[in-house]
């Protein structure tokens, strides 16, 4: 009957629409992944910065983040280098950390493409030179953080620790115009 034929054609049409929607969503997901991967790893021109991200001094949050917390904790490098702790604003990546008795020193790459260019320029000029760590506290003893999970380091305008400063130590790559 014509109703069965219409139903059969409708079902076939809807299956094609579903496949098309799945294909479009898959392409969008892959595109978003590639875009985020580019944000995290693939800029042509980079600043290399070195800074102090932890010392034995009291933080603005009335706690201590001594270097031992990094030795006792979990640090899986690279971690993102963010702007103002915003996970949507990936400036680059932290590539190396050195834990000393009195401080923790980090090395990072700052990408200079697209929306990052003006921030990188402010970093070069020394207008932005403070940093802050994004951590998950694993254990504390009183006001002392004893171990942590390092999630990110951020370029910030106001650090939690006065000594949390960085400097540009190099630049790699070329402009692609």
């Amino acid at each position: 009957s014509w109703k069965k034929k219409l139903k059969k054609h409708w079902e076939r049409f809807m299956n094609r629409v579903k496949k098309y929607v799945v294909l479009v969503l898959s392409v969008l997901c892959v595109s978003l992944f590639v875009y985020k991967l580019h944000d995290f790893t693939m800029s042509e021109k980079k600043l290399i910065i070195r800074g102090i991200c932890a010392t034995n001094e009291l933080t603005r949050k009335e706690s201590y983040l001594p270097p031992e917390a990094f030795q006792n904790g979990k640090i899986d490098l690279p971690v993102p280098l963010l702007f103002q702790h915003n996970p949507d604003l990936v400036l680059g990546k932290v590539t190396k950390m050195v834990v000393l008795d009195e401080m923790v020193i980090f090395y990072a790459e700052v990408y200079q493409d697209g929306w990052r260019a003006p921030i990188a320029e402010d970093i070069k000029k020394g207008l932005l030179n403070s940093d802050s760590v994004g951590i998950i506290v694993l254990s504390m003893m009183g006001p002392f953080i004893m171990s942590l999970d390092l999630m990110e380091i951020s370029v910030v305008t106001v650090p939690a620790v006065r000594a949390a400063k960085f400097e540009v130590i190099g630049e790699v790559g070329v402009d692609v115009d």
Side-chain angles (χ1 to χ4, degrees):
S1 92
W2 68 272
K3 287 183 179 181
K4 286 183 180 178
K5 285 183 180 179
L6 182 61
K7 184 178 178 183
K8 189 175 184 179
H9 285 294
W10 180 252
E11 288 173 354
R12 194 177 312 151
F13 172 75
M14 289 307 294
N15 283 335
R16 288 181 183 157
V17 168
K18 287 177 189 174
K19 288 179 183 175
Y20 178 74
V21 168
V22 167
L23 177 65
V24 168
L25 289 175
S26 298
V27 167
L28 286 173
C29 288
V30 168
S31 298
L32 181 60
F33 175 76
V34 168
Y35 174 76
K36 284 296 184 184
L37 182 65
H38 178 272
D39 267 4
F40 194 65
T41 61
M42 301 167 84
S43 180
E44 299 289 333
K45 193 172 180 185
K46 304 169 191 171
L47 295 177
I48 307 300
I49 61 173
R50 175 182 59 211
I52 297 170
C53 63
T55 64
N56 288 316
E57 74 179 71
L58 185 67
T59 70
R60 282 185 326 182
K61 295 186 177 189
E62 303 288 321
S63 63
Y64 292 92
L65 181 56
E68 295 82 28
F70 287 82
Q71 290 173 330
N72 300 332
K74 180 180 168 195
I75 301 172
D76 291 326
L77 296 177
V79 296
L81 180 70
L82 304 180
F83 185 63
Q84 301 285 23
H85 295 291
N86 185 334
D88 292 327
L89 299 177
V90 179
L91 288 175
K93 62 183 174 183
V94 178
T95 57
K96 182 179 177 183
M97 296 190 78
V98 179
V99 180
L100 304 172
D101 290 339
E102 298 296 317
M103 68 185 76
V104 178
I105 299 171
F106 73 94
Y107 295 82
E109 298 174 352
V110 179
Y111 307 135
Q112 299 183 68
D113 59 340
W115 62 268
R116 300 175 188 96
I119 297 170
E121 196 59 36
D122 286 348
I123 289 171
K124 278 195 233 181
K125 292 176 183 174
L127 299 174
L128 279 172
N129 66 353
S130 298
D131 59 80
S132 178
V133 293
I135 62 171
I136 295 174
V137 176
L138 300 176
S139 66
M140 287 190 78
M141 185 180 295
F144 292 91
I145 297 171
M146 302 306 291
S147 68
L148 58 84
D149 187 355
L150 179 66
M151 303 307 292
E152 51 92 5
I153 294 180
S154 283
V155 171
V156 295
T157 52
V158 180
V161 176
R162 285 178 293 142
K165 302 280 186 193
F166 64 85
E167 63 183 350
V168 176
I169 60 169
E171 192 169 355
V172 295
V174 294
D175 280 323
V176 179
D177 288 332

PDB file of all heavy atoms in Angstrom, residues 8 23 99 170:
ATOM      1  N   LYS A   8       8.307   3.584   4.534  1.00  0.00           N
ATOM      2  CA  LYS A   8       9.627   3.039   4.195  1.00  0.00           C
ATOM      3  C   LYS A   8      10.555   4.142   3.673  1.00  0.00           C
ATOM      4  O   LYS A   8      11.720   4.246   4.072  1.00  0.00           O
ATOM      5  CB  LYS A   8       9.464   1.935   3.163  1.00  0.00           C
ATOM      6  CG  LYS A   8      10.702   1.146   2.889  1.00  0.00           C
ATOM      7  CD  LYS A   8      10.408   0.007   1.941  1.00  0.00           C
ATOM      8  CE  LYS A   8      11.617  -0.851   1.738  1.00  0.00           C
ATOM      9  NZ  LYS A   8      11.326  -1.966   0.828  1.00  0.00           N
ATOM     10  N   LEU A  23      27.878  12.687  10.844  1.00  0.00           N
ATOM     11  CA  LEU A  23      29.065  13.076  10.090  1.00  0.00           C
ATOM     12  C   LEU A  23      29.432  14.533  10.373  1.00  0.00           C
ATOM     13  O   LEU A  23      30.598  14.853  10.638  1.00  0.00           O
ATOM     14  CB  LEU A  23      28.838  12.864   8.593  1.00  0.00           C
ATOM     15  CG  LEU A  23      29.981  13.295   7.668  1.00  0.00           C
ATOM     16  CD1 LEU A  23      31.204  12.428   7.912  1.00  0.00           C
ATOM     17  CD2 LEU A  23      29.549  13.222   6.227  1.00  0.00           C
ATOM     18  N   VAL A  99      63.113  22.122  41.180  1.00  0.00           N
ATOM     19  CA  VAL A  99      62.768  22.323  42.586  1.00  0.00           C
ATOM     20  C   VAL A  99      64.063  22.479  43.378  1.00  0.00           C
ATOM     21  O   VAL A  99      64.892  21.570  43.421  1.00  0.00           O
ATOM     22  CB  VAL A  99      61.937  21.142  43.137  1.00  0.00           C
ATOM     23  CG1 VAL A  99      61.587  21.370  44.597  1.00  0.00           C
ATOM     24  CG2 VAL A  99      60.672  20.938  42.299  1.00  0.00           C
ATOM     25  N   GLY A 170      64.523  34.110  26.017  1.00  0.00           N
ATOM     26  CA  GLY A 170      64.804  33.800  24.617  1.00  0.00           C
ATOM     27  C   GLY A 170      63.562  33.862  23.761  1.00  0.00           C
ATOM     28  O   GLY A 170      62.445  34.057  24.237  1.00  0.00           O
TER      29      GLY A 170
END
